[in-house]
Amino acid sequence: MTQHVRDIMTADPVTVEPQASVTSVARLMRDQDLGAVLVTDGDDLRGLVTDRDLVVRALAEGGDPEQTTVARACSDDLVTVGPDDELNVAVQVMREHSVRRVPVVDHGHPVGIVSLGDLAMERDPDSALGDISAARPNT
């Protein structure tokens, strides 16, 4: 049976506006145990920001994280997949673009995120990555 992105994606992704501060986004990620959030302008996808992006593109630059907006730290050269795309398409996009997370977009609007961990849990749950991805975080 063919599987589609919608079968494994994280639906209803957490989003932030481009003018959100790096500090507020970092707190959101901490509080909701997220490694990435989508940056949206209204209903339109503007970018994706990861916890690593916040460190490398914002904090390491030395600016004030309360004044630095997430727009300065997010990746805006995104590749996306659709919810009806087959999982092989998501795998190929991740491989070709060397990314671990891909926004899922339906008719121009973000509806989810599919990650390397999602694919590992689905395709090889006994692998190290699948096992780690399935584990509940220690709090």
Side-chain angles (χ1 to χ4, degrees), residues 56-99:
V56 173
R57 295 184 181 159
L59 296 178
E61 295 298 318
D64 179 354
E66 288 287 346
Q67 301 300 316
T68 303
T69 65
V70 73
R72 293 182 49 106
C74 73
S75 299
D76 55 6
D77 56 342
L78 296 178
V79 291
T80 63
V81 294
D84 295 324
D85 287 341
E86 292 183 15
L87 288 185
N88 292 348
V89 172
V91 170
Q92 184 161 344
V93 165
M94 288 179 180
R95 195 176 273 147
E96 284 179 11
H97 298 276
S98 300
V99 294

Side-chain angles (χ1 to χ4, degrees), residues 98-135:
S98 300
V99 294
R100 295 179 177 101
R101 297 171 182 96
V102 177
V104 182
V105 176
D106 190 20
H107 302 300
H109 304 293
V111 295
I113 297 177
V114 64
S115 71
L116 186 59
D118 296 331
L119 291 165
M121 286 189 308
E122 182 60 34
R123 294 230 165 144
D124 193 3
D126 294 326
S127 69
L129 181 56
D131 193 39
I132 291 166
S133 297

Side-chain angles (χ1 to χ4, degrees), residues 33-52:
D33 191 34
L34 301 170
V37 297
L38 298 180
V39 180
T40 57
D41 194 357
D43 286 336
D44 297 323
L45 182 62
R46 166 103 188 261
L48 179 139
V49 65
T50 67
D51 45 7
R52 185 178 189 283

